[in-house]
Amino acid sequence: MPLNSENLNLARALDLSTTNRVLVDSISASNPIDTYRLTVSRSSDLKLSLQGLKANADIQVIQDANGNGRIDDREVLTSSALKGVGLDSINVSLAAGTYFVQAYAGDKGATTGYSLNYSATALAACRRTPFSETVKIPMHLNSCQELSKRLT
């Protein structure tokens, strides 16, 4: 995990208006952390992958729960910190809200370009009976009945 010195208020916005977006950037000894902000208007599945690495780099998803612009204890929701230059990926379900994604040097002083692939798929709530638990289904499914067919 990177140092908590990165100011989340300076994060660049990620555009979630279309699916399967790619952002190309780099990290270095002088810029070891890149921070991006994304807002989901409804519960969504977020998919991230960091690839094209020449040195070790990792990714994490953060929610600034107290709004102080810093990463505090328990605000990192999930991360992928694989050693080496292999594919780091995250698949996480998020409630509506604002989140931050960080790409950061996995090794001190690492310099590498990267491609951050990202997409968010909104989820719908589906209730089978008034007494059942709510089940999240992807918006591309048309109904609870279609969900049931896919599960059987």
Side-chain angles (χ1 to χ4, degrees), residues 14-24 45-49 51 90-91 115-122:
L14 288 180
D15 177 14
L16 294 175
S17 63
T18 60
T19 59
N20 300 323
R21 303 285 304 207
V22 179
L23 180 142
V24 177
D45 279 340
L46 176 67
K47 296 181 186 217
L48 303 166
S49 66
Q51 52 193 9
I90 292 175
N91 296 317
S115 295
L116 175 64
N117 298 275
Y118 62 96
S119 65
T121 304

Side-chain angles (χ1 to χ4, degrees), residues 22-120:
V22 179
L23 180 142
V24 177
D25 208 334
S26 64
I27 52 176
S28 64
S30 63
N31 177 38
I33 305 170
D34 287 338
T35 305
Y36 306 97
R37 180 184 66 257
L38 61 98
T39 301
V40 292
S41 57
R42 61 189 308 168
S43 295
S44 298
D45 279 340
L46 176 67
K47 296 181 186 217
L48 303 166
S49 66
L50 194 63
Q51 52 193 9
L53 304 174
K54 302 292 184 205
N56 186 25
D58 302 311
I59 54 176
Q60 63 184 10
V61 177
I62 302 149
Q63 184 175 30
D64 186 15
N66 61 8
N68 69 355
R70 293 190 332 249
I71 304 169
D72 297 312
D73 290 343
R74 299 186 181 161
E75 290 185 333
V76 175
L77 303 179
T78 187
S79 63
S80 177
L82 300 176
K83 295 293 180 197
V85 296
L87 174 73
D88 277 279
S89 64
I90 292 175
N91 296 317
V92 63
S93 293
L94 303 173
T98 298
Y99 299 88
F100 299 89
V101 173
Q102 285 188 329
Y104 59 95
D107 296 322
K108 187 175 182 176
T111 296
T112 185
Y114 63 83
S115 295
L116 175 64
N117 298 275
Y118 62 96
S119 65

